Amino acid sequence: MDVLLGKMKVPAIGLGTWHMGDDPTKKAQEIEALQTGIEAGARVIDTAEMYGEGRSERLVGEAIKPYEREELYLISKFYPWNAGKNKIESTLRDSLERLQTDYLDLYLLHWRGKIPLVETVTELERLKSSGLIRNWGVSNFDTRDMRELFSVKNGRNCATDEVLYNLSSRGIDFDLKPWLREHHMPLIAYSPIAQGDSLGANLSQNTILRQIAQQHQASLFQILLAWAIRDGKTIAIPQSSKKSHVLDNLAAGKIQLSPAEYAQLDQVFPKPVSKQSLDVL
């Protein structure tokens, strides 16, 4: 399944990198995991200057060396205090240096800060015109934030909103996700498998979820990913440092749940019927 992101079609399951690069003893394993994903067809790689204060970006930079840059879709994010005209370009250039590339496909404001959105958008548009970034977007923006962003000049050029979204954390289904659909904007879901190996008991011990996984000869993680990308307009970016898990994650893109199975999951993990606070990690 492909999703249109910034006028480019990309596979619905990408590669997250939060916490990767933190442990030097795992460097070779993590690079192997990323390269395994790329060779298996993953295109989107999501990172941030915050992840290990640049260590994740450096790891990604090493991992992508053997591959054609145009075949990849690199996303990075910047701190809100670096979102102003005095810092954003130098911050971006630092990320580009760590990633060993001369442009980003997508550059995201990691969360809202004190710098006015109009200033940040103006700078992002300038960076886009310069060729240093192809597109820009936001992360951890709720519906009200998105409405404010759209009221700013060129704010409608935002390519995506990256937020926490999984079966046990689906508050955005009430208002944010419908708003994004109304404005033809894809969603990027981080933590789509609910913290991976630390999968909560409400998920790992759920009878219905286990039965559905068994019916598809799949893992619980794969069912969670298949659910997250079910609308064809969501990109999930699970993180894994093990190549076997990466391959399993990517294979989840081929799982088709039935309407009856979606209904079962909705009964156990119901869609919200009122506004929820935006979940963040």
Side-chain angles (χ1 to χ4, degrees), residues 1 5 21 30 83 89 138 145 157 214 217 219-220 233 255 264 280:
M1 182 187 298
L5 179 60
E30 291 173 340
E89 181 169 347
V138 294
D145 301 309
N157 291 339
Q214 186 174 17
Q217 298 183 325
S219 69
L220 295 182
K233 297 178 177 62
I255 296 175
Q264 286 180 300
V280 297

Side-chain angles (χ1 to χ4, degrees), residues 49 57 77-79 81-84 86-98 107:
E49 67 167 331
E57 290 178 323
K77 299 178 281 292
F78 55 97
Y79 282 121
W81 49 85
N82 290 332
N86 295 324
K87 288 188 176 181
I88 193 168
E89 181 169 347
S90 62
T91 294
L92 170 60
R93 289 186 181 277
D94 287 344
S95 287
L96 294 176
E97 182 178 358
R98 289 189 289 265
Y107 201 32

Side-chain angles (χ1 to χ4, degrees), residues 14-18 20 34 43-48 51 56 60 73-77 106 108 110 139 162 188 190 237 239:
L15 305 172
T17 64
W18 194 17
M20 295 180 76
L34 290 173
R43 189 168 185 181
V44 173
I45 303 176
D46 178 274
T47 187
Y51 298 170
S56 171
V60 171
Y73 195 99
L74 294 185
I75 304 172
S76 194
K77 299 178 281 292
L106 185 59
L108 306 181
H110 211 149
S139 181
E162 181 177 313
I188 299 179
Y190 73 80
I237 48 168
Q239 181 275 333

